[in-house]
């Protein structure tokens, strides 16, 4: 269906859509991106994306893999391959179908925020796959990785001949996770001898509009020689179009001169605002420099490459075992419950039994049906206490006013209990109606830990900001179980609210080792008990360092699996 093929090269490309595949071939030809292999996967009746990954791994002509995907046939196999292949050859993917239009109604906070998109993001994050948001971005990243070395760090210098594009480039780099770092006094002093007195030697380095080819050549070489940076973004805005070719040639000479002195490990990107479409790469001695039209494109590509390089330098994580787990006991309990009730939510007693088998810490509580019993329980547990409605038909207690916190004495407790009794007439009924949970107050940072079972990707472990505003703020991240030690750390640092756990503005540091241990146990529970469909620990109170963390409220749903129904 196409007669215009791209040049031969080192990138393997696969498309799950024939129409998109045609567009990819045309774009590769236009941008002079060389391909070693092209596969139109179609409905993957014979060849899949996983097959291409295996082929690319052993193909000496291929240095990177580009994928346009609409679905995963075997995501667990993809994860295994991507982790292995990505350590040597980058994988860049565009995954279509990111919307949540097909999300189902869910009975827990965790399931309400999980989606196939969350699973795909988790899969790519754990396996080092570089996710591009658009086809254009995929080629931006691929061109950089094909032509330039991986950055050794996140520090970038920006060289420009006009201030405005330099500012745009700086903003875009910071947004992409790349640091526009200060330059040392020595580097700035050298630049000052090479540039106009009106130039700024700060980063971005603004040579001003009078800068010509010689200034570009010298400044490029000086910046690449500096120990202050890991990569270089060169901006060129045409002041006199007649000098365009000379200026671009000078950028290439500056890079070639630096390479000749042994500086070979710093990538260089060029943003030349001379055309409305991406131009062919810029020659620079024995190499070519990726060339971009807008600074945002270059910055995003550099950000993706920098994150990938960091992933590749990070050792593979370790799957840690817990020797005190009672897996057989938990599986037997779940089998009995499913045989009796099928798809069901666990009672508090059943939930606590399951948690004990996996060593998941739960706050002490007592289930009371009368005010007298609640008062006695509060005295035994110690004030202040919390009262919570425990009713099978109530999924979210706060939405029906079923939680009263920080009750400091018996008088306040009886008033709260009487209020519950007026609003919930079946409270205390002998036929299994509502009851009141009495719990001691636990102080610390409220977090959420959860599990939801995705039918394609398996169990997803969630972590984020907990409490009643969880779904409003949606500060939650996901990873696919089982979690390595590095997966757990990445999950913790993926949420915006992590500083609250790390001593933000003088707050005491939270007990992060205890929280990591809880996430490990939840991951193992999700993996070892496949009947677990939803788990919502919200809130998990993380106390100050050395004092542990405690599950204060939880919901667990079981459902039959293929194994339990066969």
């Amino acid at each position: 269906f196409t007669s215009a093929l791209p040049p031969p090269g080192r990138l393997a490309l696969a498309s799950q859509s024939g129409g998109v595949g045609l567009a990819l071939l045309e774009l590769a030809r236009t941008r002079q991106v060389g391909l070693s292999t092209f596969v139109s996967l179609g409905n993957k009746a014979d060849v899949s994306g996983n097959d291409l990954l295996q082929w690319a791994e052993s193909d000496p002509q291929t240095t990177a893999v580009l994928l346009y995907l609409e679905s995963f046939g075997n995501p667990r196999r993809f994860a295994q391959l991507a982790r292995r292949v990505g350590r040597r050859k980058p994988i860049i993917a565009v995954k279509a179908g990111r919307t949540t239009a097909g999300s189902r109604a869910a009975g827990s906070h965790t399931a309400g925020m999980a989606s196939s998109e969350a699973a795909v993001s988790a899969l790519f994050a754990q396996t080092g796959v570089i996710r591009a948001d658009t086809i254009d971005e995929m080629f931006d990243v691929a061109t950089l990785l094909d032509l330039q070395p991986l950055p050794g760090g996140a520090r970038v210098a920006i060289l420009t001949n006009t201030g405005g594009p330099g500012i745009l480039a700086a903003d875009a780099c910071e947004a992409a996770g790349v640091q526009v770092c200060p330059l040392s006094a020595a580097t700035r002093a050298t630049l000052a001898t090479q540039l106009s007195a009106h130039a700024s030697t700060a980063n971005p380095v603004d040579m001003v509009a009078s800068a010509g080819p010689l200034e570009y050549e010298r400044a490029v070489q000086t910046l690449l020689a500096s120990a202050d940076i890991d990569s270089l973004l060169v901006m060129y805005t045409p002041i006199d179009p007649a000098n365009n070719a000379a200026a671009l040639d000078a950028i290439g000479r500056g890079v070639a001169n630096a390479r000749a002195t042994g500086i070979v490990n710093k990538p260089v990107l060029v943003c030349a605002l001379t055309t409305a479409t991406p131009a062919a790469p810029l020659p620079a001695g024995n190499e070519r420099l990726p060339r971009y039209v807008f600074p945002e494109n270059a910055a995003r590509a550099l950000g993706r490459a920098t994150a990938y390089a960091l992933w590749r330098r990070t050792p593979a994580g370790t799957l840690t075992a817990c020797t005190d787990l009672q897996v057989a006991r938990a599986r037997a309990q779940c089998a009995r419950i499913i045989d009796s009730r099928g798809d069901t939510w666990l009672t508090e007693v059943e939930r606590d039994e399951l948690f004990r088998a996996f060593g998941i810490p739960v706050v002490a509580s007592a289930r009371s049906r009368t005010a007298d019993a609640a008062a006695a329980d509060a005295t035994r547990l110690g004030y202040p206490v919390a009262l919570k409605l425990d009713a099978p038909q109530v999924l979210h207690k706060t939405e029906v006013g079923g939680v009263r916190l920080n009750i400091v004495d018996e008088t306040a407790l009886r008033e709260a209990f009487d209020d519950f009794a007026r609003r919930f007439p079946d409270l205390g009924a002998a036929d299994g109606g509502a009851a009141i949970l009495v719990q001691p107050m636990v102080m610390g940072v409220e977090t959420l830990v959860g599990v939801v079972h995705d039918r394609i990707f398996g169990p997803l472990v969630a972590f984020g900001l907990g409490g009643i505003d969880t779904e409003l703020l949606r500060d939650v991240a996901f990873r696919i179980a089982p979690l390595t030690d590095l997966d757990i750390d990445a999950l913790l640092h993926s949420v915006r609210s992590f500083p609250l756990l790390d001593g933000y503005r003088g707050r005491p540091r939270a007990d992060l080792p205890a929280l990591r241990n809880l996430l490990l146990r939840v991951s193992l529970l999700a993996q070892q008990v496949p009947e677990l469909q939803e788990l919502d620990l919200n809130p998990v109170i993380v106390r100050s360092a050395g004092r542990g963390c405690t599950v204060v409220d939880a919901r667990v749903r079981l459902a039959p699996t293929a194994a339990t129904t066969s």
Side-chain angles (χ1 to χ4, degrees), residues 245-413:
L248 295 175
D249 287 345
I251 294 170
R253 284 197 304 275
V255 173
N257 293 341
R259 301 300 195 214
T261 66
I263 304 168
V264 297
N265 62 342
K266 297 180 181 180
V268 181
L269 300 80
V270 177
C271 180
L273 306 176
T274 59
T275 177
T277 58
L282 183 68
N286 295 325
E287 67 183 283
R288 296 185 300 159
L289 308 178
R291 189 170 167 185
Y292 302 92
V293 176
F294 299 109
E296 294 84 0
N297 295 67
R300 279 193 295 266
L302 181 58
R304 303 291 193 197
T306 300
Y308 168 71
L310 175 61
W311 176 84
R312 216 160 95 161
R313 290 193 300 269
T314 303
T318 302
L319 288 170
T320 305
C322 292
T323 58
D324 60 342
L325 305 185
Q326 301 176 45
V327 177
R329 171 184 161 189
R331 290 295 308 274
Q333 177 202 4
C334 293
R336 288 194 306 269
I337 294 171
I338 289 174
D339 286 344
S340 173
R341 306 201 303 267
D343 190 325
T344 186
W345 292 93
L346 297 190
T347 67
E348 181 205 357
V349 173
E350 294 167 339
R351 176 204 72 188
D352 289 352
E353 181 182 350
L354 177 63
F355 288 173
R356 280 193 294 272
F358 274 79
I360 294 173
V362 182
V363 67
S365 65
R367 197 168 189 267
S368 308
R369 292 184 176 276
T370 66
D372 289 341
D377 291 331
T379 299
R380 176 173 54 83
L381 294 170
Y383 289 99
V385 298
L387 297 188
K388 300 178 181 179
L389 179 70
D390 182 21
Q393 72 276 18
V394 177
L395 293 180
H396 303 304
K397 301 176 181 64
T398 55
E399 293 181 1
V400 297
V403 177
R404 294 285 292 272
L405 302 176
N406 206 32
I407 297 171
V408 297
D409 55 33
E410 184 174 338
T411 300
L413 180 141

Side-chain angles (χ1 to χ4, degrees), residues 106-146:
S108 67
H109 295 290
T110 302
M113 290 179 289
S115 63
S116 293
E117 168 59 19
V120 172
S121 295
L123 175 67
F124 287 170
Q126 288 172 262
T127 57
V129 173
I130 303 168
R131 185 170 195 177
D133 292 328
T134 63
I135 297 294
D136 191 51
E137 184 184 349
M138 180 168 71
F139 277 100
D140 284 342
V141 177
T143 303
L144 172 58
L145 294 176
D146 185 37

Side-chain angles (χ1 to χ4, degrees), residues 155-233:
R155 304 170 302 166
V156 63
I158 299 170
L159 178 66
T160 181
N161 63 339
T162 54
I167 295 170
L168 288 174
D171 288 345
C173 283
E174 292 286 349
V178 187
Q179 304 165 11
V180 183
C181 58
L183 300 177
S184 67
T187 299
R188 296 186 66 173
T190 302
L191 288 169
T193 67
Q194 300 169 339
L195 303 177
S196 161
H198 301 292
S200 169
T201 59
N203 194 10
V205 178
D206 184 359
M207 301 186 297
V208 302
S210 60
L214 183 59
E215 285 84 357
Y216 262 112
E217 181 178 348
R218 290 176 173 175
V220 165
Q221 189 170 350
T222 296
L223 288 171
L224 284 176
S226 171
D228 308 328
I229 71 166
D230 303 301
S231 56
L232 175 62
L233 172 55

